[in-house]
Coordinates of all heavy atoms in Angstrom, one line a residue:
V1 N 0.9 -1.2 0.0 CA 0.0 0.0 0.0 C 0.9 1.2 0.0 O 1.9 1.3 0.7 CB -0.9 0.0 1.3 CG1 -1.7 1.3 1.3 CG2 -1.8 -1.2 1.3
V2 N 0.5 2.2 -0.8 CA 1.1 3.5 -0.7 C 0.1 4.6 -0.2 O -1.0 4.7 -0.8 CB 1.6 4.0 -2.1 CG1 2.2 5.4 -2.1 CG2 2.7 3.0 -2.7
I3 N 0.5 5.3 0.8 CA -0.4 6.4 1.3 C 0.4 7.7 0.8 O 1.5 8.0 1.3 CB -0.6 6.4 2.8 CG1 -1.2 5.1 3.2 CG2 -1.4 7.6 3.2 CD1 -1.4 4.9 4.7
H4 N -0.2 8.3 -0.2 CA 0.5 9.5 -0.8 C -0.1 10.8 -0.1 O -1.1 11.3 -0.5 CB 0.2 9.5 -2.3 CG 0.9 10.6 -3.0 ND1 2.3 10.9 -2.8 CD2 0.5 11.6 -3.8 CE1 2.6 11.9 -3.5 NE2 1.5 12.4 -4.1
A5 N 0.7 11.2 0.9 CA 0.3 12.4 1.6 C 1.2 13.6 1.3 O 1.1 14.6 2.0 CB 0.3 12.1 3.1
A6 N 2.1 13.4 0.4 CA 3.1 14.4 0.1 C 2.5 15.5 -0.8 O 1.6 15.2 -1.6 CB 4.3 13.8 -0.6
G7 N 3.1 16.7 -0.7 CA 2.7 17.8 -1.6 C 2.9 19.1 -0.8 O 3.2 19.1 0.3
N8 N 2.8 20.2 -1.6 CA 2.9 21.5 -0.9 C 1.5 22.0 -0.7 O 0.8 22.4 -1.6 CB 3.7 22.4 -1.8 CG 4.1 23.7 -1.1 OD1 3.4 24.2 -0.3 ND2 5.3 24.2 -1.5
K9 N 1.2 22.1 0.6 CA -0.2 22.6 0.9 C -0.2 24.1 1.3 O -1.2 24.6 1.7 CB -0.7 21.8 2.1 CG -1.3 20.4 1.8 CD -0.4 19.5 1.2 CE -0.9 18.1 1.1 NZ 0.1 17.1 0.7
N10 N 0.9 24.8 1.2 CA 1.0 26.2 1.5 C 0.4 27.0 0.4 O 1.0 27.2 -0.6 CB 2.5 26.6 1.7 CG 2.7 28.0 2.1 OD1 1.9 28.9 1.7 ND2 3.7 28.3 2.9
I11 N -0.8 27.4 0.6 CA -1.6 28.1 -0.4 C -0.9 29.4 -0.9 O -0.8 29.6 -2.1 CB -3.0 28.4 0.1 CG1 -3.8 27.2 0.5 CG2 -3.8 29.2 -1.0 CD1 -3.9 26.1 -0.6
G12 N -0.4 30.2 0.0 CA 0.3 31.4 -0.4 C 1.5 31.1 -1.3 O 1.7 31.7 -2.4
F13 N 2.3 30.1 -0.9 CA 3.4 29.7 -1.8 C 3.0 29.2 -3.1 O 3.5 29.6 -4.2 CB 4.3 28.6 -1.1 CG 5.4 28.1 -1.9 CD1 6.7 28.8 -1.9 CD2 5.3 27.0 -2.7 CE1 7.7 28.4 -2.6 CE2 6.3 26.6 -3.5 CZ 7.6 27.3 -3.5
C14 N 2.0 28.3 -3.1 CA 1.5 27.8 -4.4 C 1.0 28.8 -5.3 O 1.2 28.7 -6.6 CB 0.5 26.7 -4.1 SG 1.1 25.2 -3.3
E15 N 0.3 29.8 -4.8 CA -0.3 30.9 -5.7 C 0.9 31.7 -6.2 O 0.8 32.2 -7.4 CB -1.2 31.7 -4.9 CG -2.6 31.0 -4.6 CD -3.5 31.9 -3.8 OE1 -3.1 32.8 -3.0 OE2 -4.7 31.6 -3.8
K16 N 1.9 31.9 -5.5 CA 3.0 32.7 -6.0 C 4.0 31.9 -6.9 O 4.8 32.5 -7.6 CB 3.8 33.3 -4.8 CG 3.0 34.4 -4.1 CD 3.8 34.9 -2.9 CE 2.9 35.9 -2.1 NZ 3.4 36.3 -0.8
H17 N 4.0 30.6 -6.7 CA 5.0 29.8 -7.4 C 4.2 28.6 -8.1 O 4.4 27.4 -7.7 CB 6.0 29.2 -6.5 CG 6.8 30.3 -5.7 ND1 6.4 30.7 -4.5 CD2 7.9 31.0 -6.1 CE1 7.3 31.7 -4.1 NE2 8.2 31.8 -5.1
P18 N 3.4 28.9 -9.1 CA 2.6 27.8 -9.7 C 3.4 26.7 -10.3 O 2.9 25.5 -10.3 CB 1.8 28.6 -10.7 CG 2.5 29.8 -11.0 CD 3.2 30.2 -9.7
D19 N 4.6 26.9 -10.8 CA 5.4 25.9 -11.4 C 5.8 24.9 -10.3 O 5.8 23.7 -10.5 CB 6.6 26.4 -12.2 CG 6.1 27.1 -13.5 OD1 5.0 26.9 -14.0 OD2 7.0 27.9 -14.0
D20 N 6.3 25.4 -9.2 CA 6.7 24.6 -8.1 C 5.5 23.8 -7.5 O 5.6 22.7 -7.1 CB 7.4 25.4 -7.0 CG 8.7 26.0 -7.4 OD1 9.4 25.4 -8.3 OD2 9.0 27.1 -6.9
A21 N 4.4 24.5 -7.4 CA 3.2 23.9 -6.9 C 2.7 22.7 -7.8 O 2.4 21.6 -7.3 CB 2.0 24.9 -6.8
F22 N 2.8 22.9 -9.1 CA 2.5 21.9 -10.1 C 3.4 20.7 -9.9 O 3.0 19.5 -9.9 CB 2.5 22.4 -11.5 CG 2.0 21.4 -12.5 CD1 0.7 21.2 -12.8 CD2 3.0 20.6 -13.2 CE1 0.3 20.3 -13.7 CE2 2.6 19.7 -14.2 CZ 1.2 19.5 -14.4
R23 N 4.7 20.9 -9.8 CA 5.7 19.9 -9.6 C 5.4 19.1 -8.4 O 5.4 17.8 -8.4 CB 7.1 20.5 -9.6 CG 8.2 19.5 -9.5 CD 9.5 20.3 -9.8 NE 10.6 19.5 -9.4 CZ 11.1 18.4 -10.0 NH1 10.6 18.1 -11.2 NH2 12.2 17.8 -9.6
A24 N 5.2 19.8 -7.2 CA 5.0 19.1 -6.0 C 3.6 18.4 -5.9 O 3.5 17.3 -5.3 CB 5.1 20.1 -4.8
N25 N 2.6 19.0 -6.4 CA 1.2 18.4 -6.2 C 0.7 17.6 -7.4 O -0.2 16.8 -7.2 CB 0.3 19.6 -5.9 CG 0.7 20.3 -4.6 OD1 1.0 19.7 -3.6 ND2 0.6 21.6 -4.6
C26 N 1.2 17.9 -8.6 CA 0.7 17.1 -9.7 C 1.7 16.1 -10.3 O 1.4 14.9 -10.3 CB 0.3 18.1 -10.9 SG -1.0 19.2 -10.4
E27 N 2.9 16.6 -10.6 CA 3.9 15.7 -11.1 C 4.2 14.5 -10.2 O 4.3 13.4 -10.6 CB 5.1 16.4 -11.6 CG 4.9 17.2 -12.8 CD 6.2 18.0 -13.2 OE1 7.3 17.7 -12.7 OE2 6.0 18.9 -14.1
A28 N 4.3 14.9 -8.9 CA 4.6 13.8 -7.9 C 3.5 12.8 -7.8 O 3.7 11.6 -7.8 CB 4.9 14.5 -6.5
A29 N 2.3 13.3 -7.8 CA 1.1 12.4 -7.7 C 1.0 11.5 -9.0 O 0.7 10.3 -8.9 CB -0.2 13.2 -7.5
I30 N 1.3 12.1 -10.1 CA 1.3 11.3 -11.4 C 2.4 10.2 -11.3 O 2.1 9.0 -11.7 CB 1.5 12.2 -12.6 CG1 0.3 13.1 -12.8 CG2 1.9 11.4 -13.8 CD1 0.5 14.2 -13.8
N31 N 3.6 10.6 -10.9 CA 4.7 9.6 -10.8 C 4.4 8.5 -9.8 O 4.6 7.3 -10.1 CB 6.0 10.3 -10.4 CG 6.5 11.1 -11.5 OD1 6.2 11.0 -12.7 ND2 7.3 12.1 -11.2
V32 N 3.8 8.8 -8.7 CA 3.4 7.8 -7.7 C 2.4 6.9 -8.3 O 2.5 5.6 -8.2 CB 3.0 8.4 -6.4 CG1 2.3 7.4 -5.4 CG2 4.1 9.1 -5.7
A33 N 1.3 7.4 -8.9 CA 0.3 6.6 -9.4 C 0.8 5.7 -10.6 O 0.4 4.5 -10.6 CB -0.9 7.5 -10.0
Y34 N 1.6 6.3 -11.4 CA 2.1 5.5 -12.6 C 3.0 4.4 -12.1 O 2.9 3.3 -12.6 CB 2.8 6.5 -13.5 CG 3.3 5.8 -14.8 CD1 2.5 5.4 -15.8 CD2 4.7 5.4 -14.9 CE1 3.0 4.7 -16.9 CE2 5.2 4.8 -16.0 CZ 4.3 4.4 -17.0 OH 4.8 3.8 -18.1
T35 N 3.9 4.7 -11.2 CA 4.9 3.7 -10.8 C 4.3 2.6 -9.9 O 4.6 1.5 -10.0 CB 6.1 4.4 -10.1 OG1 6.6 5.4 -11.0 CG2 7.1 3.5 -9.6
F36 N 3.5 3.0 -8.9 CA 3.0 2.1 -7.9 C 1.6 1.5 -8.3 O 1.2 0.5 -7.7 CB 2.9 2.7 -6.5 CG 4.3 3.0 -5.9 CD1 4.8 4.3 -6.0 CD2 5.0 2.0 -5.3 CE1 6.0 4.6 -5.4 CE2 6.2 2.3 -4.8 CZ 6.8 3.5 -4.8
G37 N 0.9 2.1 -9.3 CA -0.4 1.7 -9.6 C -0.6 0.2 -9.9 O -1.7 -0.4 -9.7
T38 N 0.4 -0.4 -10.5 CA 0.3 -1.9 -10.8 C 0.8 -2.8 -9.8 O 0.6 -4.0 -9.8 CB 1.0 -2.2 -12.1 OG1 2.4 -1.8 -12.0 CG2 0.4 -1.4 -13.3
I39 N 1.5 -2.3 -8.7 CA 2.1 -3.1 -7.7 C 1.5 -2.9 -6.3 O 1.8 -3.7 -5.4 CB 3.6 -3.0 -7.7 CG1 4.0 -1.6 -7.3 CG2 4.2 -3.4 -9.0 CD1 5.5 -1.4 -7.0
A40 N 0.8 -1.9 -6.1 CA 0.3 -1.6 -4.8 C -1.1 -0.9 -4.8 O -1.4 -0.2 -5.8 CB 1.3 -0.7 -4.0
R41 N -1.8 -0.9 -3.7 CA -3.0 -0.1 -3.6 C -2.5 1.3 -3.2 O -1.5 1.5 -2.5 CB -3.9 -0.6 -2.5 CG -4.4 -2.0 -2.7 CD -5.8 -1.9 -3.1 NE -6.3 -3.2 -3.2 CZ -7.5 -3.4 -3.9 NH1 -8.1 -2.4 -4.4 NH2 -7.9 -4.6 -4.0
I42 N -3.2 2.3 -3.7 CA -2.8 3.7 -3.5 C -3.9 4.5 -2.8 O -5.0 4.4 -3.2 CB -2.4 4.5 -4.7 CG1 -1.2 3.8 -5.4 CG2 -2.0 5.9 -4.4 CD1 -0.8 4.3 -6.8
I43 N -3.5 5.1 -1.7 CA -4.5 6.0 -1.0 C -3.9 7.4 -1.2 O -2.7 7.7 -0.8 CB -4.6 5.7 0.5 CG1 -5.1 4.2 0.7 CG2 -5.5 6.7 1.2 CD1 -5.0 3.7 2.1
Y44 N -4.7 8.3 -1.8 CA -4.2 9.7 -2.1 C -4.9 10.6 -1.2 O -6.2 10.7 -1.1 CB -4.5 10.0 -3.5 CG -4.1 11.4 -3.9 CD1 -2.8 11.8 -4.0 CD2 -5.1 12.3 -4.3 CE1 -2.5 13.1 -4.3 CE2 -4.8 13.6 -4.6 CZ -3.5 14.0 -4.7 OH -3.2 15.3 -5.0
L45 N -4.2 11.5 -0.5 CA -4.7 12.5 0.4 C -4.4 13.9 -0.3 O -3.3 14.1 -0.8 CB -4.1 12.5 1.8 CG -4.2 11.2 2.5 CD1 -3.5 11.2 3.8 CD2 -5.7 10.8 2.8

């Protein structure tokens, strides 16, 4: 099982740095889903 609780939840930072926010909150989630999706259950927070 993968519990994916990582990401940048700092709203002020994310609004000022959308590229960094996308990397932390989208690209990371995509990589976790793609890599672990066939070998583990994933819980995404």
